[in-house]
Amino acid sequence: MDHMDWGRIPGPTWYLPDAARAAMEALTRSTDARQAARALADLRHAVTNDHAGTLSPAAVPAASVLLEAIGERPGPPRQEALSVLLDWWGCFCPEPGFGTYEDLSAKSVGLIEGIVRRVRGATDMLRRVADDPSGGGGHRPGAKLLLARLDEGWSEAGG
């Protein structure tokens, strides 16, 4: 995912492609869990407007990065990634005028649909985290909640 050209993704004025790129570089270079968690938080802030509760189209590929962290980086990175996706789910909506994302096939899909598809594609991994007999590093409840929300669907609070 570090090969993503964040600058090619259209977005509102608050979308920060350079910050998204820097967050991905920091994630790739991270040598400990805290650095990785910080990089994931920085990625979140680059692709969302938390104050308005809106997402830029770059939230779709960011969701893939978050899911990869859930699957591969236990501890603080996994917790950060789960927290971001759970915060977004149903509480955030696309920034007005930026409700679609161009997927790899150059097909336009709804921004929320794109995120949901990516989470749905990671169901097996999320189940492994949710069912981890070692406790999943304390992440079982978050993974179970994300799976439950996936089953319920995304009903936007803001629109």
Side-chain angles (χ1 to χ4, degrees):
M1 191 51 66
D2 59 330
H3 60 279
M4 171 64 63
D5 186 355
W6 298 94
R8 292 187 64 112
I9 302 171
T13 55
W14 53 257
Y15 166 53
L16 304 170
D18 290 339
R21 186 178 308 105
M24 288 303 303
E25 290 170 2
L27 183 61
T28 302
R29 288 190 320 267
S30 64
T31 58
D32 66 43
R34 286 188 181 158
Q35 288 175 343
R38 180 74 238 160
L40 291 167
D42 290 346
L43 179 61
R44 171 202 179 128
H45 294 296
V47 303
T48 63
N49 180 340
D50 281 349
H51 297 293
T54 58
L55 302 165
S56 76
V60 178
S64 292
V65 174
L66 296 165
L67 289 161
E68 187 175 309
I70 293 168
E72 298 177 6
R73 294 178 177 257
R78 180 175 287 163
Q79 187 59 51
E80 180 67 29
L82 280 166
S83 293
V84 170
L85 288 171
L86 288 168
D87 284 350
W88 288 356
W89 202 275
C91 297
F92 280 66
C93 59
E95 177 74 17
F98 294 94
T100 59
Y101 173 76
E102 297 292 325
D103 70 11
L104 292 176
S105 67
K107 180 181 173 195
S108 183
V109 298
L111 193 153
I112 300 302
E113 178 186 354
I115 294 171
V116 171
R117 281 184 187 175
R118 289 171 189 229
V119 174
R120 190 171 307 289
T123 300
D124 290 344
M125 175 276 295
L126 289 168
R127 282 195 185 112
R128 280 193 300 278
V129 172
D131 296 338
D132 185 344
S134 70
H139 306 297
R140 291 176 71 184
K144 287 180 181 181
L145 182 56
L146 188 55
L147 287 165
R149 289 200 175 154
L150 181 62
D151 288 342
E152 295 163 6
W154 186 309
S155 59
E156 296 173 26

